[in-house]
Amino acid sequence: MLSEADTCRKHVVPLLQAAGWDNEPHSIAEQRTITDGRIVPVGKGFVRKPSKRVDYILRRTRDFALAVVEAKPIWKRAGDGLAQAKEYAEMLGLHFAYATNGPEIIEFDYFTGQERIVTTYPTSSELWQRWCAGRKLSDDAARRLLTPMHHLTGRSERYYQEIAINRAVEGILTGRPRQLLTMATGTGKTAVAFQVCWKLWNSGWNATGRHGKPKILFLADRNILVDDPMGKDFAVFGLARWKIENAIVNMGREMYFAIYQSLAKDERRPGLYKEFPRDFFDLIIVDECHRGSARDDSNWREILTYFEPAYQLGMTATPLREENRDTYLYFGNPIYTYSLRQGIDDGFLAPYRVHRIISEWDAAGWRPSQHDLDRYGRPIPDEEYQTNDFERRVALLARTEAIARHLTDFLKKTDRFAKTVVFCVDQEHADEMRRALNNLNSDLAQQYPNYVCRVTSADGDIGRGHLGHFQDVEGTTPVILTTSQMLTTGVDMPTCKNVVLARVIGSMTEFKQIIGRGTRVRDEYGKLWFNILDYTGSATRLFADPTFDGDPARLTQEEIDAAGETKAIDVITPEPPETTDVDIHEGGLISEPPSVERKKYYFDGGQVEISTHLVYELDPDGKQLRCIRYTDYAAEKVRTLVPTAPDLRARWTDPEQRSELISKLAERGINFEQLAEQAQQPEADPFDLLCHLAFNAPLRTRRERAQRLRQDRKDFFDQYGPEARQILDELLEKYAEHGDAQFVLPDILKVPPISSHGQVGDIVKAFGGADKLRGAVHQLQALLYAA
């Protein structure tokens, strides 16, 4: 009977080759992995779920796929693979899907909606003509669309980046004046922007059809958002690059970079952008376009309107929200969206655990005592202050120090050199937090003076230097950065493991930008996930928003005292989202909100304790945000896999079925070591622990199981010689002490005390052969769980 591999080798590949798909520049991408596999929490670590792999991707060129082929064994029907073929086609943004069992081929055409049986595969030219007709693409536009991307050795675009690039280029080539790409933070928007420019640049396109390269403007609202791409991704453009700054106009380049502020009008000038002809640029790419660039009354909107003859491509990480509705009205609906949830599901973005920590003053409010004066001798108005008021209307030093103590203890329990960013209310608060954290970590600050640093717009070049060292994946310090607004967006922090919220985040847009500081995955540095420590309730509230598209792996809430000790565990009910003022920008950096008439008071007295610490985690299936005990979650998952205790025993007794069950439990985030710790049953056998939690069965220790086997089944041991009996007894003792009943041969024979009996061959002889040894070990495992 032919297997799926036989189907591929004997039927699929020969037919594809006969259709010319193996002839340059066309290609057959066989067994192509398109995702990395979702990262799933398992105990205190993480594992990856299996990645998605397509049997065949048929490419017109290296950078342009046309169809997928899903193969099934010959003994199945071709239709059995059609659903999977369509799933992959839709995921890859393709319009043709094929399913086959070898002799039978089914085609699904997304242009016509028709499903038909065919005997051969269409040629690349045939499929390309059908695709161009379906997309209403002219011959000239089709030729330019296939312009190669810029390829670097060992690096290629992910599937969603390829979709975004080709759709953006196609839209420009077909005359769509404004387009929007929505891609989650950390998914490579800058790389997409670069490839769009590269393809258009090398295709000979420009907006007017004149001879020459296109003139392109890369526009953003912060210097770091233009300096970084200009110096890295776009470096291949060489001397064609030019940054518009210092009121200097240069019309002799092609690839321009600028921040809005350098072009906009102000009290000193009418607007530098007017020095350029309205049709000077062929394409304008607006990075982080949700940041107010499309508001009708905005100076930025005035710039975009002035350059209306240019094609305009907006890029944002934020799906449609009330606060960015103007952006969507201006650019239109996204031509492609790749969300935070998709990135996490695909394993390209890191999942995260959210810790909700509440101080007593945040829980109950703070009210000054009669005649309380602040540090400057001013009387503090007698009213009740809440979290929204802290560090805005009244600065509470004791609360800042309590947060710093709790964070320090958290790092001591996890990793004191885990890169951490603390978002504070303002620059002053960031300075207070920096000082508190430095003093609490003075033992490390002695050796590493920059262990804790503040990075705000007021810190200038020094702050940017600290940021550069923090971003360096090989750098040790700074470990902790305190900031206010400067690092909320556009800053790549590939090894950031802790994002700390010490200020209220009212905007979903800003919230997603902030958590984006930690979503990068760096396997080689052990960065597979990160923590969000929320001291203001922002994460809890915003994760509850039904429009949020990337739930956390875990959310916790913890009450701590002034010493940073956990006092209690509690569940809070999320409140509805709030709105916040739009950020103010100056000089390419986000500045602090403008000062208001209301005074800010500084109270240095009092004592506050952390009162609550809760952890919420999205279950490993990626379906539901939960705040339940780990033991309850494990019990529920066991019951979904095995309905009854006898069924569990039957599967556990069989080595192959037991191994399969353990793997499935691991995929669902269940780790026996952590489960025993949470259940406070360190001596329990894994099988008994699962039975106890899922079916309320009596709980036995490993030692009890081992002793019962020795007493009740002496006949099992008596059938072997003295040395073989001793080896079996040592295996049983090893299980009783360490809890591992998964005796993997021959590995288990190479560890003490079993290894003292000689080489593997010597041990095999003691049992009369390899088969008898294997049978003895399997029977030992089965008898352990016989009753």
Side-chain angles (χ1 to χ4, degrees):
M1 185 177 294
L2 293 179
S3 66
E4 183 175 314
D6 295 326
T7 299
C8 294
R9 185 177 64 257
K10 295 185 177 182
H11 295 276
V12 181
V13 172
L15 285 175
L16 291 175
Q17 290 174 334
W21 283 100
D22 214 16
N23 301 331
E24 288 286 346
H26 322 312
S27 64
I28 306 168
E30 185 175 359
Q31 293 298 311
R32 185 56 51 91
T33 298
I34 58 174
T35 71
D36 282 354
R38 181 187 175 93
I39 301 168
V40 179
V42 177
K44 297 179 181 179
F46 281 70
V47 297
R48 282 191 182 273
K49 281 192 170 183
S51 56
K52 291 185 178 180
R53 179 177 295 179
V54 183
D55 285 343
Y56 297 96
I57 301 176
L58 306 184
R59 292 188 172 274
R60 173 69 173 172
T61 65
R62 174 178 177 176
D63 305 320
F64 206 97
L66 285 175
V68 296
V69 180
E70 177 64 26
K72 292 298 178 186
I74 196 170
W75 48 271
K76 286 191 174 184
R77 297 179 60 85
D80 293 342
L82 186 61
Q84 190 171 358
K86 291 168 68 175
E87 177 188 342
Y88 287 142
E90 291 163 16
M91 186 176 179
L92 297 174
L94 305 180
H95 287 77
F96 304 101
Y98 295 89
T100 180
N101 63 354
E104 184 183 14
I105 305 171
I106 297 178
E107 176 193 82
F108 186 85
D109 184 335
Y110 280 84
F111 288 118
T112 64
Q114 293 293 311
E115 176 183 325
R116 62 188 182 125
I117 297 176
V118 297
T119 56
T120 60
Y121 295 98
T123 66
S124 174
S125 296
E126 291 170 348
L127 213 56
W128 176 242
Q129 290 174 5
R130 289 167 61 185
W131 189 89
C132 290
R135 302 294 289 182
K136 297 180 173 58
L137 210 63
S138 69
D139 291 343
D140 182 66
R143 177 183 59 81
R144 297 182 191 275
L145 182 59
L146 293 180
T147 302
M149 296 182 193
H150 180 72
H151 295 287
L152 297 175
T153 303
R155 177 180 172 182
S156 60
E157 277 60 46
R158 293 168 175 166
Y159 79 88
Y160 62 86
Q161 292 174 319
E162 186 176 307
I163 296 172
I165 293 163
N166 287 326
R167 286 193 184 175
V169 172
E170 180 190 349
I172 292 169
L173 293 174
T174 54
R176 187 169 181 172
R178 297 174 187 168
Q179 299 183 100
L180 179 66
L181 286 172
T182 302
M183 298 174 64
T185 299
T187 57
K189 293 191 296 295
T190 303
V192 168
F194 163 73
Q195 294 289 7
V196 169
C197 295
W198 180 264
K199 283 173 72 78
L200 293 172
W201 176 279
N202 286 282
S203 72
W205 170 88
N206 58 61
T208 60
R210 67 183 185 277
H211 178 72
K213 299 290 188 182
K215 291 186 181 294
I216 301 173
L217 173 62
F218 187 94
L219 193 60
D221 70 325
R222 300 189 187 190
N223 278 308
I224 195 169
L225 293 179
V226 296
D227 291 344
D228 202 55
M230 180 179 174
K232 295 178 182 177
D233 292 72
F234 288 80
V236 68
F237 284 103
L239 294 177
R241 296 168 298 158
W242 180 262
K243 184 180 180 184
I244 304 172
E245 58 184 344
N246 301 322
I248 298 175
V249 175
N250 183 339
M251 298 190 185
R253 305 297 176 91
E254 289 86 25
M255 186 63 63
Y256 291 83
F257 298 82
I259 59 172
Y260 297 105
Q261 296 87 332
S262 67
L263 295 174
K265 67 181 181 181
D266 56 29
E267 65 278 1
R268 297 178 287 108
R269 63 189 183 201
L272 189 65
Y273 66 90
K274 292 184 178 179
E275 298 291 324
F276 294 89
R278 294 189 71 241
D279 61 353
F280 182 79
F281 294 110
D282 298 286
L283 171 65
I284 299 176
I285 295 178
V286 187
D287 194 20
E288 305 292 355
C289 65
H290 64 277
R291 303 187 64 81
S293 60
R295 295 198 312 274
D296 288 335
D297 59 348
S298 169
N299 283 341
W300 305 347
R301 174 67 173 270
E302 187 175 314
I303 296 171
L304 295 178
T305 302
Y306 178 82
F307 291 118
E308 187 174 7
Y311 287 84
Q312 297 177 8
L313 174 62
M315 306 188 77
T316 180
T318 309
L320 176 63
R321 299 276 302 172
E322 187 59 41
E323 61 263 30
N324 66 2
R325 186 170 298 276
D326 291 328
T327 298
Y328 280 74
L329 289 174
Y330 181 81
F331 287 102
N333 289 325
I335 57 173
Y336 183 64
T337 297
Y338 189 75
S339 69
L340 179 63
R341 185 186 299 277
Q342 287 173 285
I344 293 174
D345 285 344
D346 287 344
F348 295 131
L349 295 180
Y352 40 90
R353 288 173 171 162
V354 180
H355 302 253
R356 173 67 176 110
I357 305 110
I358 306 174
S359 75
E360 292 174 337
W361 288 350
D362 288 274
W366 178 81
R367 185 173 184 176
S369 301
Q370 192 174 12
H371 307 306
D372 268 347
L373 302 178
D374 78 348
R375 73 173 63 152
Y376 301 108
R378 298 175 299 175
I380 303 174
D382 183 17
E383 57 182 282
E384 189 169 285
Y385 298 90
Q386 303 295 333
T387 302
N388 282 330
D389 302 314
F390 298 153
E391 306 306 323
R392 299 185 187 276
R393 298 181 61 200
V394 57
L396 302 174
L397 182 60
R399 176 177 175 270
T400 297
E401 291 177 341
I403 291 173
R405 270 191 299 274
H406 180 267
L407 176 58
T408 297
D409 287 344
F410 179 85
L411 293 175
K412 287 180 178 178
K413 294 173 184 176
T414 53
D415 178 4
R416 296 188 73 184
F417 285 91
K419 296 288 182 74
T420 302
V421 181
V422 185
F423 289 93
C424 302
V425 173
D426 54 26
Q427 295 181 4
E428 192 174 40
H429 186 212
D431 190 53
E432 295 274 9
M433 187 66 72
R434 178 199 56 76
R435 184 176 301 109
L437 286 166
N438 181 84
N439 293 339
L440 288 165
N441 293 276
S442 57
D443 58 325
L444 290 178
Q446 291 175 2
Q447 184 177 357
Y448 305 99
N450 290 327
Y451 180 78
V452 187
C453 294
R454 186 184 76 160
V455 176
T456 66
S457 56
D459 295 298
D461 290 339
I462 294 176
R464 279 186 282 272
H466 290 322
L467 174 59
H469 292 304
F470 184 86
Q471 292 175 290
D472 183 0
V473 294
E474 301 292 346
T476 303
T477 61
V479 173
I480 304 173
L481 294 186
T482 65
T483 187
S484 53
Q485 304 263 7
M486 182 175 170
L487 305 183
T488 56
T489 186
V491 181
D492 188 9
M493 300 176 178
T495 56
C496 178
K497 290 189 175 180
N498 300 304
V499 174
V500 181
L501 305 180
R503 68 176 172 91
V504 174
I505 311 298
S507 160
M508 174 68 80
T509 299
E510 184 182 15
F511 175 63
K512 295 186 76 169
Q513 292 290 338
I514 286 175
I515 65 174
R517 300 316 100 209
T519 53
R520 272 73 170 179
V521 174
R522 293 300 292 266
D523 293 71
E524 67 272 30
Y525 292 95
K527 168 64 188 308
L528 291 169
W529 59 283
F530 69 104
N531 293 294
I532 299 173
L533 288 88
D534 176 17
Y535 293 91
T536 65
S538 298
T540 309
R541 171 172 43 80
L542 291 169
F543 279 136
D545 190 320
T547 63
F548 183 74
D549 71 339
D551 301 297
R554 179 177 295 167
L555 206 72
T556 70
Q557 181 165 289
E558 173 179 332
E559 297 187 15
I560 55 175
D561 58 22
E565 297 294 330
T566 300
K567 287 182 57 180
I569 300 295
D570 196 7
V571 179
I572 65 169
T573 302
E575 300 174 359
E578 301 174 2
T579 58
T580 188
D581 294 334
V582 178
D583 299 322
I584 309 298
H585 309 278
E586 294 177 359
L589 296 173
I590 282 193
S591 67
E592 304 305 334
S595 59
V596 292
E597 292 299 322
R598 186 171 53 219
K599 295 179 180 178
K600 181 177 178 179
Y601 297 92
Y602 302 83
F603 183 68
D604 297 339
Q607 183 175 352
V608 62
E609 300 179 350
I610 299 294
S611 58
T612 304
H613 187 151
L614 267 179
V615 180
Y616 291 76
E617 185 167 293
L618 189 73
D619 67 41
D621 296 329
K623 301 296 184 184
Q624 186 177 0
L625 182 65
R626 314 171 65 102
C627 182
I628 63 172
R629 291 191 304 169
Y630 184 62
T631 51
D632 293 337
Y633 169 76
E636 178 184 319
K637 290 303 174 186
V638 169
R639 288 192 293 268
T640 61
L641 292 171
V642 189
T644 67
D647 290 333
L648 177 58
R649 185 185 303 278
R651 294 187 62 177
W652 202 267
T653 303
D654 182 270
E656 290 187 4
Q657 292 191 52
R658 178 170 64 247
S659 180
E660 179 185 357
L661 180 59
I662 290 173
S663 296
K664 288 183 177 180
L665 291 171
E667 286 179 5
R668 288 155 177 78
I670 297 172
N671 171 272
F672 290 127
E673 182 179 348
Q674 185 184 15
L675 189 60
E677 179 182 335
Q678 292 286 325
Q680 298 183 343
Q681 298 291 341
E683 301 300 321
D685 176 89
F687 166 77
D688 289 299
L689 187 57
L690 294 179
C691 272
H692 176 69
L693 295 174
F695 307 110
N696 201 30
L699 194 61
R700 291 179 182 172
T701 66
R702 298 187 302 273
R703 179 69 62 186
E704 289 173 341
R705 278 205 172 273
Q707 283 299 114
R708 184 169 180 174
L709 177 58
R710 287 189 179 103
Q711 293 173 2
D712 295 351
R713 294 304 306 268
K714 291 182 179 180
D715 59 313
F716 166 70
F717 295 95
D718 290 343
Q719 64 183 304
Y720 298 102
E723 187 173 19
R725 282 201 305 270
Q726 184 179 352
I727 292 171
L728 291 172
D729 191 70
E730 288 170 352
L731 285 173
L732 198 58
E733 184 62 27
K734 197 167 190 63
Y735 154 77
E737 287 187 9
H738 305 290
D740 188 4
Q742 289 287 94
F743 301 135
V744 180
L745 297 173
D747 297 351
I748 191 65
L749 308 180
K750 301 175 184 178
V751 297
I754 296 95
S755 59
S756 63
H757 293 273
Q759 300 296 322
V760 172
D762 299 324
I763 298 174
V764 168
K765 289 179 181 178
F767 284 85
D771 291 340
K772 292 184 177 180
L773 168 62
R774 189 177 299 107
V777 172
H778 286 175
Q779 189 177 3
L780 177 68
Q781 291 172 312
L783 291 174
L784 265 174
Y785 301 108

